[in-house]
Amino acid sequence: MTLSNRAAVVTGSTSGIGLAIARALAKEGANVMINGFGKPEDIEKERAGIEAEFGVKAIHSPADMTKPDQIAGMIAEAEAAFGGVDILVNNAGIQFVSPIEDFPIEKWDQIIAINLSAVFHAMRASVPGMKARGWGRIVSTASAHSKVASPFKGAYVAAKHAIDGLSKTVALETATHGITVNCISPGYVWTPLVENQIPETMKARGLTREQVINDVLLPAQPTKSFVTPEEVAAFVVFLCSDAAKQITGANLSIDGGWTAA
Ligand code: NAD
């Protein structure tokens, strides 16, 4: 196990990619704090399952990523529970699909808060401890939309491009402290986030469900198949290993070739 004696906070990990990342880090021996929303009984099942399956400590933080004080509190709680936060995975994210002229202002604010500002607040709170211990790994789930745009996703594309800039900046600030800071940029991963945007995309483009999947989502990906949450998680585990210590300030694609085109 490559991550024994490490502790990780994974935001937005009650579902989808984040849950797969938390489980993969735990499998490698890391204690994990999961975070996100959902039915309490479902969250408890996942949390207890991680402890039982991998023999690590797992706790859940209900911190809302739109609330800076709750984000700082989440990092402080993890530091107190685990003795430090070695790995921060900024993964919480939401999507909204609409033409710019109809884009609800509150959706813009919410996406910028969760997908971008939360990354700033969590980095700000966890870097001092990482610097003090001389080791840290920060991985933020950006997106192929941190490199290229698609219509109707103004807030999401703006937030994801900005995560790239923030990560590069913090990578430079922490480069001599044993800390790496990277973004990963998945293409389409089959999760509730993708499932839920299908009705909005059907409406925005006047298409059927099958047309959205086959003509909008998958054509972007030369492999013509979805990335899996487990593939993204394995990539994160590698970035958290000692073998990856020279990879910092990078925005790494895992997108079936999408952004090569
Ligand atoms: P998901 O909807 O399955 O999971 C999102 C998670 O974020 C959930 O745990 C949810 O509870 C949590 N969350 C939402 N709002 C929150 C808030 N205010 N505070 C705390 N937690 C909150 O989505 P996913 O597809 O697994 O997406 C995870 C990340 O991956 C996102 O940042 C997304 O932009 C990114 N991403 C997804 C894809 C994809 O195709 N699914 C592609 C590229 C990037």
Side-chain angles (χ1 to χ4, degrees), residues 4-180:
S4 301
N5 303 320
R6 303 288 185 204
V9 173
V10 184
T11 72
S13 51
T14 53
S15 166
I17 296 170
L19 181 57
I21 292 172
R23 288 179 54 79
L25 294 173
K27 191 176 181 191
E28 290 302 320
N31 292 322
V32 291
M33 174 179 267
I34 59 169
N35 156 259
F37 303 146
K39 286 192 200 144
E41 60 271 27
D42 293 345
I43 294 173
E44 176 53 22
K45 198 173 154 208
E46 292 296 350
R47 188 206 64 76
I50 290 171
E51 287 196 336
E53 206 171 326
F54 306 119
V56 299
K57 224 164 126 182
I59 49 183
H60 171 251
S61 164
D64 181 341
M65 292 299 108
T66 64
K67 305 275 190 306
D69 55 335
Q70 292 189 22
I71 298 168
M74 173 186 72
I75 299 296
E77 190 193 335
E79 286 179 334
F82 301 139
V85 172
D86 306 298
I87 297 165
L88 168 67
V89 181
N90 296 300
N91 174 79
I94 59 165
Q95 175 64 284
F96 192 81
V97 181
S98 164
I100 191 73
E101 59 272 34
D102 301 326
F103 212 99
I105 292 168
E106 62 277 11
K107 283 288 175 198
W108 167 271
D109 288 342
Q110 195 188 11
I111 289 178
I112 296 300
I114 297 171
N115 295 18
L116 174 60
S117 298
V119 179
F120 161 76
H121 294 298
M123 285 181 175
R124 184 176 182 278
S126 50
V127 161
M130 291 178 181
K131 275 188 176 174
R133 288 185 303 282
W135 198 94
R137 294 286 184 271
I138 300 175
V139 182
S140 300
T141 310
S143 165
H145 284 123
S146 74
K147 300 186 174 192
V148 295
S150 297
F152 314 124
K153 296 184 176 177
Y156 188 89
V157 171
K160 295 298 187 182
H161 274 67
I163 287 181
D164 183 20
L166 176 60
S167 292
K168 285 177 186 158
T169 306
V170 180
L172 297 179
E173 292 178 23
T174 57
T176 58
H177 294 272
I179 301 170
T180 70

